[in-house]
Amino acid sequence: MKIFDLKNVISIKDFKKEDIKFILDESSKFEKIAKSQGTSNELSGKILGIMFFEASTRTRLSFETAMKRLGGDCIGFTGSDESSVIKGETIADTSKMFESYSDAILIRHSLEGVAKFISDLVNVPVVNAGDGAGQHPTQTLIDLYTIKKEFGKIKNINIALIGDLKYGRTVHSLSYALGIFGAKMHFISPNELKIPDEILHDLEKKKISYHETHDLKDVIDDLDILYVTRIQKERFSDVEEYERIKGAYLIDKNLIEGKSLIVMHPLPRIDEINHDVDNTKYNKYFKQAFNGVPVRMAILKNIIKH
Ligand code: CP
């Protein structure tokens, strides 16, 4: 039987294909408990320390739900003003406190590399809940799990990743994993928000092929999945540039009616998916958000040791 031996969850590139498959299989075992059908005490007495320097709804709350559904508990803060960081305490010192008080640390920060930095300082497992425009590995596991649930496979799935591919950390993580599993990827963005060269180089090194275009119409009829992302206002240094680009792609019911695709989105959405898609068969983004609970239960169970 496969033994999952990753100590930290920092980048999806740290996962071998077998590690990802293992977490996806484990996640399905937690579906019922995630829906409150049954209970678990697998992490009874364990505490997850949550250090969030950026706002969150799904990542924070689904991790908290996952921990509590496994019989564990959580401590933590969101925003520097809820901790002594506001008095000038360093992130390094703060993480040493979390190491003393908890059995694993979940960190979100606006700077790329902070989760890795903390994982080198502490002896408890560290999970990257998003580091700036870097990585969001647990979101990627949720996305893969959702695809597997919807299609029964990932290989040869035709998927377009559309929107802010420059700053969107979910796409940075997901493209690598999709490539490992043999999905057919299309990157669709305005010129200003193209996927960074270093991500493309990583794909090329792994001999993973991809297709880039500005126009969704080029590929929409061939798609199994339209993976929509938000234009990330908070990462723009020039607000006028954001205002100019923000409406680049708007997905509505009319655009996708009659197509054989599903719509995914890591959320939050602003206006890139019209609300008229919500009550259609195309909408899988709310199910995708729910899937955060079983997937994060599987991650927590396998990194927090008894
Ligand atoms: N998908 C995601 O990371 O959502 P939150 O920013 O609400 O955590």
Side-chain angles (χ1 to χ4, degrees):
M1 188 186 144
K2 165 83 179 76
I3 305 293
F4 181 84
D5 58 4
L6 278 181
K7 181 187 171 206
N8 303 302
V9 179
I10 305 297
S11 165
I12 201 70
K13 290 196 282 181
D14 300 333
F15 283 71
K16 295 190 286 293
K17 193 172 175 180
E18 291 67 34
D19 295 324
I20 295 176
K21 281 184 179 169
F22 175 80
I23 290 294
L24 302 189
D25 286 347
E26 285 273 284
S27 302
S28 60
K29 296 178 194 162
F30 287 117
E31 281 272 338
K32 282 196 169 159
I33 300 172
K35 291 176 185 151
S36 199
Q37 296 162 6
T39 56
S40 165
N41 281 316
E42 291 192 63
L43 291 182
S44 171
K46 300 294 180 185
I47 292 177
L48 176 66
I50 300 178
M51 293 171 64
F52 268 33
F53 294 90
E54 275 192 335
S56 167
T57 296
R58 277 147 294 276
T59 310
R60 175 168 182 164
L61 298 182
S62 61
F63 261 111
E64 284 193 22
T65 303
M67 196 66 194
K68 290 177 183 188
R69 294 259 189 240
L70 289 168
D73 211 338
C74 306
I75 58 166
F77 61 80
T78 297
S80 315
D81 55 348
E82 275 191 23
S83 73
S84 286
V85 172
I86 199 161
K87 301 173 199 161
E89 187 165 41
T90 63
I91 292 179
D93 282 1
T94 307
S95 61
K96 294 302 281 180
M97 299 308 104
F98 273 76
E99 180 188 30
S100 309
Y101 304 147
S102 55
D103 300 288
I105 296 175
L106 179 69
I107 167 108
R108 171 172 283 193
H109 201 280
S110 58
L111 287 179
E112 221 171 306
V114 167
K116 171 77 176 81
F117 170 74
I118 286 174
S119 71
D120 290 339
L121 290 177
V122 299
N123 283 316
V124 294
V126 174
V127 178
N128 181 4
D131 59 337
Q135 286 261 322
H136 197 348
T138 66
Q139 180 67 50
T140 292
L141 295 167
I142 294 164
D143 297 342
L144 297 175
Y145 183 67
T146 304
I147 295 169
K148 192 88 192 297
K149 260 171 87 171
E150 294 297 327
F151 296 94
K153 62 170 191 170
I154 302 169
K155 191 176 168 68
N156 289 329
I157 287 293
N158 221 319
I159 178 167
L161 303 134
I162 187 168
D164 184 348
L165 309 188
K166 178 178 179 183
Y167 298 115
R169 56 194 173 202
T170 63
V171 169
H172 299 170
S173 302
L174 180 59
S175 55
Y176 188 85
L178 285 171
I180 292 177
F181 280 87
K184 294 178 184 162
M185 281 183 286
H186 307 274
F187 296 127
I188 308 177
S189 67
N191 241 338
E192 297 86 342
L193 296 177
K194 275 170 63 123
I195 194 156
D197 283 344
E198 61 262 35
I199 305 281
L200 297 181
H201 290 155
D202 278 342
L203 298 181
E204 285 156 18
K205 265 196 277 177
K206 286 255 168 202
K207 301 197 186 317
I208 294 166
S209 57
Y210 58 86
H211 164 235
E212 281 187 289
T213 178
H214 300 306
D215 195 347
L216 175 57
K217 289 199 185 81
D218 289 349
V219 296
I220 194 165
D221 288 331
D222 301 326
L223 293 180
D224 299 305
I225 303 172
L226 183 58
Y227 186 97
V228 187
T229 63
R230 174 178 67 95
I231 310 280
Q232 309 234 330
K233 183 179 184 183
E234 66 274 28
R235 315 256 178 248
F236 280 73
S237 50
D238 180 353
V239 177
E240 281 181 17
E241 192 185 12
Y242 167 75
E243 291 295 333
R244 193 167 49 74
I245 298 175
K246 69 177 183 186
Y249 300 104
L250 300 174
I251 310 304
D252 62 13
K253 188 176 166 188
N254 192 41
L255 181 77
I256 56 177
E257 195 110 80
K259 313 282 185 215
S260 58
L261 55 78
I262 63 166
V263 179
M264 292 175 63
H265 191 312
L267 304 178
R269 76 159 147 201
I270 308 304
D271 52 11
E272 60 277 8
I273 300 178
N274 193 297
H275 288 264
D276 69 4
V277 180
D278 293 0
N279 291 323
T280 70
K281 63 179 181 182
Y282 305 102
N283 168 11
K284 299 295 174 190
Y285 33 91
F286 294 141
K287 281 190 176 165
Q288 185 183 353
F290 163 75
N291 289 338
V293 179
V295 171
R296 286 167 171 151
M297 289 173 82
I299 293 166
L300 289 169
K301 185 208 142 183
N302 281 287
I303 61 162
I304 297 176
K305 307 294 180 205
H306 273 286

PDB file of all heavy atoms in Angstrom, residues 1 8 13 36 48 51 61 78 147 158 171 174 178 203 252 259 273 277 281 283 288 292 295 301:
ATOM      1  N   MET A   1       0.841  -1.194   0.000  1.00  0.00           N
ATOM      2  CA  MET A   1       0.000   0.000   0.000  1.00  0.00           C
ATOM      3  C   MET A   1       0.880   1.250   0.000  1.00  0.00           C
ATOM      4  O   MET A   1       1.896   1.306   0.666  1.00  0.00           O
ATOM      5  CB  MET A   1      -0.877  -0.012   1.264  1.00  0.00           C
ATOM      6  CG  MET A   1      -1.930   1.078   1.289  1.00  0.00           C
ATOM      7  SD  MET A   1      -2.754   1.052   2.901  1.00  0.00           S
ATOM      8  CE  MET A   1      -3.008   2.790   3.154  1.00  0.00           C
ATOM      9  N   ASN A   8       5.218  18.516   4.110  1.00  0.00           N
ATOM     10  CA  ASN A   8       4.579  19.817   3.885  1.00  0.00           C
ATOM     11  C   ASN A   8       3.836  19.807   2.553  1.00  0.00           C
ATOM     12  O   ASN A   8       4.137  18.998   1.671  1.00  0.00           O
ATOM     13  CB  ASN A   8       5.646  20.922   3.843  1.00  0.00           C
ATOM     14  CG  ASN A   8       6.473  20.955   5.102  1.00  0.00           C
ATOM     15  OD1 ASN A   8       5.938  21.112   6.201  1.00  0.00           O
ATOM     16  ND2 ASN A   8       7.784  20.781   4.958  1.00  0.00           N
ATOM     17  N   LYS A  13       4.335  20.918  -7.379  1.00  0.00           N
ATOM     18  CA  LYS A  13       5.496  20.267  -8.015  1.00  0.00           C
ATOM     19  C   LYS A  13       6.207  19.300  -7.055  1.00  0.00           C
ATOM     20  O   LYS A  13       7.013  18.484  -7.482  1.00  0.00           O
ATOM     21  CB  LYS A  13       6.473  21.331  -8.537  1.00  0.00           C
ATOM     22  CG  LYS A  13       5.906  22.077  -9.738  1.00  0.00           C
ATOM     23  CD  LYS A  13       6.952  22.839 -10.489  1.00  0.00           C
ATOM     24  CE  LYS A  13       7.304  24.117  -9.810  1.00  0.00           C
ATOM     25  NZ  LYS A  13       8.308  24.894 -10.536  1.00  0.00           N
ATOM     26  N   SER A  36     -21.703  15.499   6.708  1.00  0.00           N
ATOM     27  CA  SER A  36     -22.276  15.278   8.032  1.00  0.00           C
ATOM     28  C   SER A  36     -23.029  13.943   8.136  1.00  0.00           C
ATOM     29  O   SER A  36     -23.891  13.782   8.989  1.00  0.00           O
ATOM     30  CB  SER A  36     -23.210  16.439   8.411  1.00  0.00           C
ATOM     31  OG  SER A  36     -23.411  16.446   9.798  1.00  0.00           O
ATOM     32  N   LEU A  48      -5.090  22.691  14.289  1.00  0.00           N
ATOM     33  CA  LEU A  48      -4.555  23.332  13.085  1.00  0.00           C
ATOM     34  C   LEU A  48      -4.409  24.831  13.373  1.00  0.00           C
ATOM     35  O   LEU A  48      -5.368  25.483  13.783  1.00  0.00           O
ATOM     36  CB  LEU A  48      -5.522  23.122  11.901  1.00  0.00           C
ATOM     37  CG  LEU A  48      -5.141  23.812  10.584  1.00  0.00           C
ATOM     38  CD1 LEU A  48      -3.855  23.207  10.001  1.00  0.00           C
ATOM     39  CD2 LEU A  48      -6.290  23.693   9.565  1.00  0.00           C
ATOM     40  N   MET A  51      -2.693  30.874   9.921  1.00  0.00           N
ATOM     41  CA  MET A  51      -2.078  32.214   9.808  1.00  0.00           C
ATOM     42  C   MET A  51      -2.454  32.777   8.450  1.00  0.00           C
ATOM     43  O   MET A  51      -1.841  32.426   7.455  1.00  0.00           O
ATOM     44  CB  MET A  51      -0.547  32.109   9.845  1.00  0.00           C
ATOM     45  CG  MET A  51       0.056  31.669  11.135  1.00  0.00           C
ATOM     46  SD  MET A  51       1.854  31.336  10.928  1.00  0.00           S
ATOM     47  CE  MET A  51       2.498  32.937  10.518  1.00  0.00           C
ATOM     48  N   LEU A  61     -12.439  28.423   5.580  1.00  0.00           N
ATOM     49  CA  LEU A  61     -13.594  27.753   6.186  1.00  0.00           C
ATOM     50  C   LEU A  61     -13.658  26.269   5.841  1.00  0.00           C
ATOM     51  O   LEU A  61     -14.094  25.455   6.663  1.00  0.00           O
ATOM     52  CB  LEU A  61     -14.892  28.468   5.790  1.00  0.00           C
ATOM     53  CG  LEU A  61     -14.973  29.926   6.272  1.00  0.00           C
ATOM     54  CD1 LEU A  61     -16.305  30.540   5.885  1.00  0.00           C
ATOM     55  CD2 LEU A  61     -14.768  30.030   7.780  1.00  0.00           C
ATOM     56  N   THR A  78      -7.011  36.020  10.756  1.00  0.00           N
ATOM     57  CA  THR A  78      -6.992  36.498   9.375  1.00  0.00           C
ATOM     58  C   THR A  78      -6.691  37.984   9.416  1.00  0.00           C
ATOM     59  O   THR A  78      -7.414  38.753  10.054  1.00  0.00           O
ATOM     60  CB  THR A  78      -8.342  36.269   8.670  1.00  0.00           C
ATOM     61  OG1 THR A  78      -8.590  34.867   8.597  1.00  0.00           O
ATOM     62  CG2 THR A  78      -8.311  36.827   7.251  1.00  0.00           C
ATOM     63  N   ILE A 147     -12.743  17.255 -11.332  1.00  0.00           N
ATOM     64  CA  ILE A 147     -12.687  16.749 -12.712  1.00  0.00           C
ATOM     65  C   ILE A 147     -12.871  15.231 -12.723  1.00  0.00           C
ATOM     66  O   ILE A 147     -13.638  14.676 -13.510  1.00  0.00           O
ATOM     67  CB  ILE A 147     -11.346  17.144 -13.383  1.00  0.00           C
ATOM     68  CG1 ILE A 147     -11.253  18.667 -13.528  1.00  0.00           C
ATOM     69  CG2 ILE A 147     -11.188  16.456 -14.742  1.00  0.00           C
ATOM     70  CD1 ILE A 147      -9.877  19.183 -13.937  1.00  0.00           C
ATOM     71  N   ASN A 158     -10.295  18.001 -22.350  1.00  0.00           N
ATOM     72  CA  ASN A 158     -10.013  19.235 -23.075  1.00  0.00           C
ATOM     73  C   ASN A 158     -10.434  20.417 -22.205  1.00  0.00           C
ATOM     74  O   ASN A 158     -11.629  20.630 -21.991  1.00  0.00           O
ATOM     75  CB  ASN A 158     -10.836  19.215 -24.366  1.00  0.00           C
ATOM     76  CG  ASN A 158     -10.046  19.727 -25.519  1.00  0.00           C
ATOM     77  OD1 ASN A 158      -9.311  20.702 -25.378  1.00  0.00           O
ATOM     78  ND2 ASN A 158     -10.198  19.085 -26.665  1.00  0.00           N
ATOM     79  N   VAL A 171      -4.199  28.717 -11.361  1.00  0.00           N
ATOM     80  CA  VAL A 171      -3.807  28.246 -12.697  1.00  0.00           C
ATOM     81  C   VAL A 171      -2.344  27.801 -12.707  1.00  0.00           C
ATOM     82  O   VAL A 171      -1.988  26.818 -13.358  1.00  0.00           O
ATOM     83  CB  VAL A 171      -4.061  29.356 -13.742  1.00  0.00           C
ATOM     84  CG1 VAL A 171      -3.419  29.010 -15.073  1.00  0.00           C
ATOM     85  CG2 VAL A 171      -5.547  29.580 -13.920  1.00  0.00           C
ATOM     86  N   LEU A 174      -2.447  24.416 -11.125  1.00  0.00           N
ATOM     87  CA  LEU A 174      -3.286  23.441 -11.829  1.00  0.00           C
ATOM     88  C   LEU A 174      -2.697  23.021 -13.175  1.00  0.00           C
ATOM     89  O   LEU A 174      -2.781  21.845 -13.550  1.00  0.00           O
ATOM     90  CB  LEU A 174      -4.696  24.019 -12.016  1.00  0.00           C
ATOM     91  CG  LEU A 174      -5.716  23.134 -12.738  1.00  0.00           C
ATOM     92  CD1 LEU A 174      -5.914  21.801 -12.009  1.00  0.00           C
ATOM     93  CD2 LEU A 174      -7.061  23.855 -12.869  1.00  0.00           C
ATOM     94  N   LEU A 178      -2.368  19.201 -14.341  1.00  0.00           N
ATOM     95  CA  LEU A 178      -3.135  18.729 -15.506  1.00  0.00           C
ATOM     96  C   LEU A 178      -2.198  18.124 -16.543  1.00  0.00           C
ATOM     97  O   LEU A 178      -2.509  17.118 -17.177  1.00  0.00           O
ATOM     98  CB  LEU A 178      -3.905  19.890 -16.140  1.00  0.00           C
ATOM     99  CG  LEU A 178      -5.154  20.373 -15.404  1.00  0.00           C
ATOM    100  CD1 LEU A 178      -5.658  21.662 -16.045  1.00  0.00           C
ATOM    101  CD2 LEU A 178      -6.249  19.314 -15.410  1.00  0.00           C
ATOM    102  N   LEU A 203       6.414  23.400 -17.883  1.00  0.00           N
ATOM    103  CA  LEU A 203       5.623  22.451 -18.678  1.00  0.00           C
ATOM    104  C   LEU A 203       6.493  21.854 -19.777  1.00  0.00           C
ATOM    105  O   LEU A 203       6.488  20.647 -20.015  1.00  0.00           O
ATOM    106  CB  LEU A 203       4.403  23.141 -19.295  1.00  0.00           C
ATOM    107  CG  LEU A 203       3.379  23.736 -18.315  1.00  0.00           C
ATOM    108  CD1 LEU A 203       2.215  24.361 -19.090  1.00  0.00           C
ATOM    109  CD2 LEU A 203       2.840  22.687 -17.359  1.00  0.00           C
ATOM    110  N   ASP A 252     -21.563  33.930 -20.020  1.00  0.00           N
ATOM    111  CA  ASP A 252     -22.984  33.913 -19.647  1.00  0.00           C
ATOM    112  C   ASP A 252     -23.668  32.701 -20.287  1.00  0.00           C
ATOM    113  O   ASP A 252     -23.062  31.971 -21.091  1.00  0.00           O
ATOM    114  CB  ASP A 252     -23.688  35.229 -19.977  1.00  0.00           C
ATOM    115  CG  ASP A 252     -23.688  35.530 -21.464  1.00  0.00           C
ATOM    116  OD1 ASP A 252     -23.374  34.630 -22.262  1.00  0.00           O
ATOM    117  OD2 ASP A 252     -24.000  36.682 -21.834  1.00  0.00           O
ATOM    118  N   LYS A 259     -23.538  23.825 -25.630  1.00  0.00           N
ATOM    119  CA  LYS A 259     -22.174  23.252 -25.649  1.00  0.00           C
ATOM    120  C   LYS A 259     -22.113  22.079 -24.663  1.00  0.00           C
ATOM    121  O   LYS A 259     -22.818  22.050 -23.655  1.00  0.00           O
ATOM    122  CB  LYS A 259     -21.119  24.288 -25.221  1.00  0.00           C
ATOM    123  CG  LYS A 259     -21.249  25.643 -25.894  1.00  0.00           C
ATOM    124  CD  LYS A 259     -20.700  25.626 -27.289  1.00  0.00           C
ATOM    125  CE  LYS A 259     -20.738  27.020 -27.885  1.00  0.00           C
ATOM    126  NZ  LYS A 259     -21.021  27.027 -29.321  1.00  0.00           N
ATOM    127  N   ILE A 273     -18.393  35.359 -14.455  1.00  0.00           N
ATOM    128  CA  ILE A 273     -19.456  34.399 -14.786  1.00  0.00           C
ATOM    129  C   ILE A 273     -20.783  35.047 -14.399  1.00  0.00           C
ATOM    130  O   ILE A 273     -20.999  35.368 -13.217  1.00  0.00           O
ATOM    131  CB  ILE A 273     -19.310  33.067 -14.027  1.00  0.00           C
ATOM    132  CG1 ILE A 273     -17.974  32.391 -14.344  1.00  0.00           C
ATOM    133  CG2 ILE A 273     -20.464  32.131 -14.383  1.00  0.00           C
ATOM    134  CD1 ILE A 273     -17.742  31.092 -13.580  1.00  0.00           C
ATOM    135  N   VAL A 277     -25.769  31.661 -15.194  1.00  0.00           N
ATOM    136  CA  VAL A 277     -25.186  30.309 -15.357  1.00  0.00           C
ATOM    137  C   VAL A 277     -25.443  29.454 -14.098  1.00  0.00           C
ATOM    138  O   VAL A 277     -25.451  28.229 -14.157  1.00  0.00           O
ATOM    139  CB  VAL A 277     -23.663  30.390 -15.644  1.00  0.00           C
ATOM    140  CG1 VAL A 277     -23.045  29.008 -15.812  1.00  0.00           C
ATOM    141  CG2 VAL A 277     -23.375  31.251 -16.876  1.00  0.00           C
ATOM    142  N   LYS A 281     -27.056  23.353 -15.893  1.00  0.00           N
ATOM    143  CA  LYS A 281     -26.256  22.121 -15.736  1.00  0.00           C
ATOM    144  C   LYS A 281     -24.762  22.411 -15.892  1.00  0.00           C
ATOM    145  O   LYS A 281     -23.921  21.600 -15.535  1.00  0.00           O
ATOM    146  CB  LYS A 281     -26.694  21.083 -16.767  1.00  0.00           C
ATOM    147  CG  LYS A 281     -26.443  21.538 -18.201  1.00  0.00           C
ATOM    148  CD  LYS A 281     -26.844  20.519 -19.239  1.00  0.00           C
ATOM    149  CE  LYS A 281     -26.528  21.052 -20.630  1.00  0.00           C
ATOM    150  NZ  LYS A 281     -26.901  20.201 -21.716  1.00  0.00           N
ATOM    151  N   ASN A 283     -22.993  24.732 -14.433  1.00  0.00           N
ATOM    152  CA  ASN A 283     -22.367  25.205 -13.189  1.00  0.00           C
ATOM    153  C   ASN A 283     -21.852  24.043 -12.357  1.00  0.00           C
ATOM    154  O   ASN A 283     -22.630  23.268 -11.808  1.00  0.00           O
ATOM    155  CB  ASN A 283     -23.402  26.004 -12.382  1.00  0.00           C
ATOM    156  CG  ASN A 283     -22.930  26.269 -10.953  1.00  0.00           C
ATOM    157  OD1 ASN A 283     -21.766  26.044 -10.610  1.00  0.00           O
ATOM    158  ND2 ASN A 283     -23.835  26.741 -10.122  1.00  0.00           N
ATOM    159  N   GLN A 288     -17.557  22.290  -6.777  1.00  0.00           N
ATOM    160  CA  GLN A 288     -16.088  22.365  -6.654  1.00  0.00           C
ATOM    161  C   GLN A 288     -15.719  22.947  -5.271  1.00  0.00           C
ATOM    162  O   GLN A 288     -14.827  22.432  -4.596  1.00  0.00           O
ATOM    163  CB  GLN A 288     -15.601  23.272  -7.777  1.00  0.00           C
ATOM    164  CG  GLN A 288     -14.120  23.441  -7.979  1.00  0.00           C
ATOM    165  CD  GLN A 288     -13.860  24.457  -9.103  1.00  0.00           C
ATOM    166  OE1 GLN A 288     -14.779  24.916  -9.787  1.00  0.00           O
ATOM    167  NE2 GLN A 288     -12.610  24.803  -9.280  1.00  0.00           N
ATOM    168  N   GLY A 292     -13.831  21.023  -1.524  1.00  0.00           N
ATOM    169  CA  GLY A 292     -12.733  21.455  -0.649  1.00  0.00           C
ATOM    170  C   GLY A 292     -12.724  20.718   0.683  1.00  0.00           C
ATOM    171  O   GLY A 292     -11.662  20.492   1.270  1.00  0.00           O
ATOM    172  N   VAL A 295     -11.429  16.877   0.276  1.00  0.00           N
ATOM    173  CA  VAL A 295     -10.015  16.897  -0.157  1.00  0.00           C
ATOM    174  C   VAL A 295      -9.128  17.403   0.983  1.00  0.00           C
ATOM    175  O   VAL A 295      -8.064  16.823   1.262  1.00  0.00           O
ATOM    176  CB  VAL A 295      -9.846  17.773  -1.418  1.00  0.00           C
ATOM    177  CG1 VAL A 295      -8.374  17.972  -1.740  1.00  0.00           C
ATOM    178  CG2 VAL A 295     -10.568  17.147  -2.609  1.00  0.00           C
ATOM    179  N   LYS A 301      -5.515  14.618   7.308  1.00  0.00           N
ATOM    180  CA  LYS A 301      -5.349  13.288   7.917  1.00  0.00           C
ATOM    181  C   LYS A 301      -3.959  12.721   7.602  1.00  0.00           C
ATOM    182  O   LYS A 301      -3.349  12.042   8.425  1.00  0.00           O
ATOM    183  CB  LYS A 301      -6.424  12.346   7.387  1.00  0.00           C
ATOM    184  CG  LYS A 301      -6.398  10.991   8.055  1.00  0.00           C
ATOM    185  CD  LYS A 301      -6.916   9.908   7.162  1.00  0.00           C
ATOM    186  CE  LYS A 301      -6.110   8.644   7.349  1.00  0.00           C
ATOM    187  NZ  LYS A 301      -6.525   7.577   6.444  1.00  0.00           N
TER     188      LYS A 301
END
